[in-house]
Amino acid sequence: MNSNTNSNETVMSTVWQECLKIISHKVNSQSFKTWFEPIKQKKFEASVLELEVPSLFFYEWVEEHYANILNEAVLAVLGVNGKISFTINSELEDSIKEDEINNTQILPNTNIKLSATPTSGLSEVFSYKDDNGFKPINSGLNQKNTFENFIKGESNQLARAAALAVANNPGGTQFNPLVIYGDVGLGKTHLIQAIGNHALSTGKVKRVGYVTSEIFTLEFVDAIQNDNMNQFSNYYRKMDILIVDDIQFFTGREKTQDHFFHTFNALHQIGKQIVLSSDRPVKELKGLNERLISRFQSGLTADIQPPDLETRTAILKKKSLDNGIELQQDILEFIALNVKSNIRELEGCLISLLAHSSIQSREIDLNLAKEVVRSIV
């Protein structure tokens, strides 16, 4: 019995290693290091090899460029009955349907498939009730948006500190509402979602709802058309924390503003937390009702500025490690020196660097970084 157990463990530990040996002869060394070494084996049973990849972007890249090579390796090692299933690491479990991940199978000569969770609409969130009223099936939060993953710097120090205070004591601080504003791509969505994720994970609250102002407006219109206003109102008024992103899109939408005003008041009066984000200060939101502006300014407004050099470098390092790549310090600093506008552009530059390296079969060095940055900036 012990002999069989040891034998099974040996098979488990060598299946992916045998696949890697085959793959290493089919791709260049840089592509192998970039796209295959970070893949980890989770388990092997019933001819199914379960592998874990570090991110959704990583998975999609492997799917698009290396599916045939993977299939050939599995066919060689496991035979015609061999299958692969992929999972994304736990930080992205909220972005992917877990049952679809676990059931994803790749047979030889077939494509890899993995589907993301669609945005939940009224028909979904109102289909589930408990004794206390309506509660959401999906909070709308992306679980990778946490305080731990948010790089702190001078440019976001106040906003992050306020967000953490709210997450630790929802509705119990003077920061209610908390409004975080800043230009595009500076991490507003990450920070406001981190509040919800932290409050849920620490048991501070039971219900968190994240929604963009545009989705709120669309749901409001849908509720009117389908005579669902009571359910729509009850749903949002049952939240312990309501997070609304991009409130600048409320401007000019009078009926939506009026309904949100009453939702805001109902939540605020019973001590529930409201968190908002905007691309500019509330007082500059033209076309927004004066009474809403007054409510939004009654708590704390904190801004996020473009990150400084040190913060940009730290962000790049964190993002590259999340994708299973460790870049040299001179490459990180070069990109951070030249890409200054926002975090999304930094991420785009990093992805472009990885793509160029793989497609052109080149080592990731300072010369390649210069070419990529020149094409972006």
Side-chain angles (χ1 to χ4, degrees):
M1 183 173 179
N2 289 337
S3 176
N4 289 337
T5 300
N6 292 336
S7 176
N8 289 336
E9 289 177 351
T10 301
V11 170
M12 279 188 62
S13 64
T14 58
V15 169
W16 178 233
Q17 293 303 317
E18 290 300 314
C19 290
L20 286 176
K21 288 179 183 178
I22 296 172
I23 293 169
S24 67
H25 295 297
K26 296 179 179 291
V27 299
N28 63 70
S29 59
Q30 181 63 40
S31 295
F32 183 81
K33 181 178 180 180
T34 302
W35 301 111
F36 291 99
E37 285 189 358
I39 298 175
K40 307 299 182 184
Q41 178 174 321
K42 291 194 71 177
K43 63 181 179 180
F44 172 67
E45 59 185 21
S47 296
V48 178
L49 175 62
E50 183 177 335
L51 302 174
E52 183 181 74
V53 291
S55 70
L56 182 57
F57 162 74
F58 192 105
Y59 169 84
E60 290 172 341
W61 183 268
V62 171
E63 171 196 359
E64 183 176 353
H65 295 90
Y66 299 111
N68 290 336
I69 291 175
L70 271 171
N71 289 332
E72 291 171 5
V74 172
L75 180 62
V77 175
L78 298 179
V80 294
N81 294 321
K83 302 172 184 177
I84 306 177
S85 70
F86 279 86
T87 61
I88 309 299
N89 67 12
S90 58
E91 289 185 354
L92 288 177
E93 65 184 1
D94 196 49
S95 303
I96 307 297
K97 285 183 178 178
E98 185 176 357
D99 57 339
E100 289 187 8
I101 294 172
N102 292 334
N103 293 328
T104 298
Q105 297 179 345
I106 300 114
L107 298 170
N109 303 317
T110 64
N111 291 325
I112 305 169
K113 296 184 182 296
L114 188 65
S115 301
T117 302
T119 302
S120 58
L122 288 177
S123 60
E124 281 189 286
V125 296
F126 290 149
S127 64
Y128 180 40
K129 300 180 183 179
D130 65 6
D131 294 338
N132 297 318
F134 292 95
K135 76 175 184 180
I137 291 175
N138 189 335
S139 66
L141 298 171
N142 187 333
Q143 288 190 354
K144 71 175 182 178
N145 289 335
T146 65
F147 288 111
E148 291 74 19
N149 289 334
F150 187 85
I151 304 299
K152 181 174 66 174
E154 289 187 10
S155 59
N156 57 44
Q157 190 171 9
L158 173 61
R160 185 187 182 280
L164 187 57
V166 164
N168 284 321
N169 190 13
T173 72
Q174 293 181 329
F175 311 152
N176 195 15
L178 173 62
V179 182
I180 295 176
Y181 74 91
D183 209 346
V184 174
L186 297 181
K188 299 187 301 296
T189 297
H190 185 140
L191 193 54
I192 62 177
Q193 288 200 9
I195 295 172
N197 282 321
H198 183 83
L200 285 172
S201 66
T202 55
K204 302 292 183 181
V205 298
K206 293 183 178 180
R207 294 190 181 91
V208 174
Y210 166 85
V211 66
T212 67
S213 61
E214 287 192 296
I215 295 299
F216 184 92
T217 301
L218 291 173
E219 290 180 345
F220 174 65
V221 173
D222 185 70
I224 294 175
Q225 292 175 343
N226 293 288
D227 196 22
N228 250 349
M229 281 306 301
N230 286 337
Q231 291 182 344
F232 177 78
S233 297
N234 287 337
Y235 169 66
Y236 282 107
R237 296 183 188 194
K238 292 293 184 181
M239 296 299 174
D240 297 315
I241 302 178
L242 177 59
I243 305 172
V244 184
D245 209 349
D246 292 326
I247 58 172
Q248 68 269 13
F249 292 112
F250 277 147
T251 58
R253 296 170 173 173
E254 293 297 330
K255 289 186 177 180
T256 305
Q257 288 183 40
D258 185 62
H259 186 85
F260 187 73
F261 172 80
H262 294 294
T263 300
F264 183 104
N265 281 346
L267 289 170
H268 198 270
Q269 287 172 4
I270 58 175
K272 302 301 183 180
Q273 182 68 49
I274 301 163
V275 179
L276 311 169
S277 83
S278 172
D279 65 354
R280 73 202 78 151
V282 172
K283 62 183 180 181
E284 296 180 10
L285 294 175
K286 307 300 181 184
L288 201 62
N289 191 297
E290 286 296 328
R291 61 180 184 173
L292 264 185
I293 292 177
S294 176
R295 293 294 189 275
F296 293 167
Q297 291 182 320
S298 63
L300 175 68
T301 300
D303 69 329
I304 297 180
Q305 295 293 327
D308 55 30
L309 175 61
E310 291 77 12
T311 306
R312 296 197 301 274
T313 304
I315 290 170
L316 271 175
K317 185 173 183 178
K318 178 69 168 61
K319 296 292 183 182
S320 63
L321 291 175
D322 285 347
N323 282 286
I325 308 297
E326 186 171 359
L327 296 180
Q328 296 176 4
Q329 187 67 21
D330 61 339
I331 297 174
L332 294 172
E333 291 179 354
F334 177 80
I335 297 173
L337 273 169
N338 290 277
V339 182
K340 304 176 182 179
S341 58
N342 61 57
I343 297 169
R344 288 181 192 166
E345 193 169 274
L346 280 175
E347 293 177 341
C349 189
L350 177 62
I351 290 172
S352 182
L353 181 64
L354 298 178
H356 277 72
S357 170
S358 182
I359 293 172
Q360 299 174 15
S361 301
R362 294 176 57 181
E363 297 284 340
I364 298 179
D365 56 18
L366 188 57
N367 288 331
L368 181 59
K370 289 179 179 179
E371 291 178 23
V372 171
V373 169
R374 192 180 301 120
S375 68
I376 292 177
V377 178

